Amino acid sequence: MQQPLLVAGAGLAGTLLALDQHQRGHPIEVWDDASGAGCSRVAAGLFNPLLGPRMSADPGGWDLLEPAYRRWEELLGTKFFHPLTIKRPWVGSKVTAAHFPRSGLGWSAAATDEGVCIEGGGWVNIPVLLDAARTFFRQQGLLREQRLTTGEAIGRRVVWCGGLDDFTSGVWGLDPMVEGRWQGIRGDVLTVEAPECHQSWISIGSRFLLPLGGGRFRWGATHEIDVVTREEKPPMRERLVAELCLVPGIGEFRVVDHQWGIRPASRSRKPLIGRHSQHRDWFLFNGFAGKGVSTIPRYLGSTDPLIWVY
């Protein structure tokens, strides 16, 4: 009987990888003690086809995004994929109305007086996805609710998806694929109640404002690079509050939650996916930074990314 592939970590990367492998019929076992998914749960889960001040098109495979999430929604019996219009202002951008309209597989963008209106973007409710997947794995007998140790991993086929914990551990921290090739990026996000604000789209400028429904919004995120400390930073909350006060149409609001997380990002801006230099049955699937929601399904949908495991 084929030994299961061990997926170490059930944040966004580990969860989607495990779901994909399960649907392909590969035996899996998910190891996670629920402490390593903090950054994934803080993330807004945005997917936006036009990136940066030049609004460069996110390359390739955008049309794979919705079908992948719809399959996972059907498997888990839970809705977490939310297509939603995105509006980006001209302020701070390096493009003009002359660059639009533009379109690609699965998205389109048109110029308005205020900025660019994008269809084909939206957000994934990552906590709902993670909770539904965890329940599914538990019900299927595929979940070990503990962290995988190095000793337990010896001699087993393992894909490490533990976020920051992988990069700061003895397992991967000194591996040539990882050492010196990543940075910690901290982001602080507020959840607020703003009953006077009726915005029904995602606005993305220097910060994002994401409507959750029922008068609730997420606002953020701050961006600090080369940070690995996880302590609360009240000044970040104060900065976000002060900036939100200046947003037109927000009205009176109340902060109901302040969250923060540190995501490991590869300095090359490409995910760190590959085999350990010494333990040849160990693989890394990590370093997606803030684009995991849109990038991971493309890796999983274009081909079986773990064909080399078998």
Side-chain angles (χ1 to χ4, degrees), residues 18-93:
L19 290 173
D20 175 77
Q21 292 297 293
H22 176 74
Q23 288 185 308
R24 291 177 186 269
H26 298 320
I28 61 162
E29 196 171 83
V30 179
W31 288 61
D32 185 81
D33 65 357
S35 68
C39 183
S40 289
R41 290 181 177 275
V42 173
L46 302 180
F47 53 96
N48 172 24
L50 295 182
L51 304 176
R54 297 188 183 279
M55 299 195 194
S56 303
D58 196 0
W62 199 259
D63 54 320
L64 299 173
L65 203 63
E66 182 163 358
Y69 281 105
R70 294 303 187 197
R71 286 196 303 273
W72 293 322
E73 283 186 330
E74 183 177 2
L75 176 68
L76 302 177
T78 305
K79 180 176 176 58
F80 41 77
F81 182 80
H82 303 282
L84 200 60
T85 298
I86 294 174
K87 295 185 180 182
R88 298 194 56 187
W90 295 122
V91 177
S93 73

Side-chain angles (χ1 to χ4, degrees), residues 173-204:
L174 298 179
D175 190 84
M177 182 173 64
V178 171
E179 187 177 16
R181 298 188 178 186
W182 68 280
Q183 60 184 337
I185 300 179
R186 177 184 169 120
D188 287 61
V189 181
L190 301 182
T191 302
V192 303
E193 288 182 348
E196 299 173 34
C197 183
H198 302 293
Q199 178 175 312
S200 59
W201 61 89
I202 301 169
S203 58
I204 299 179

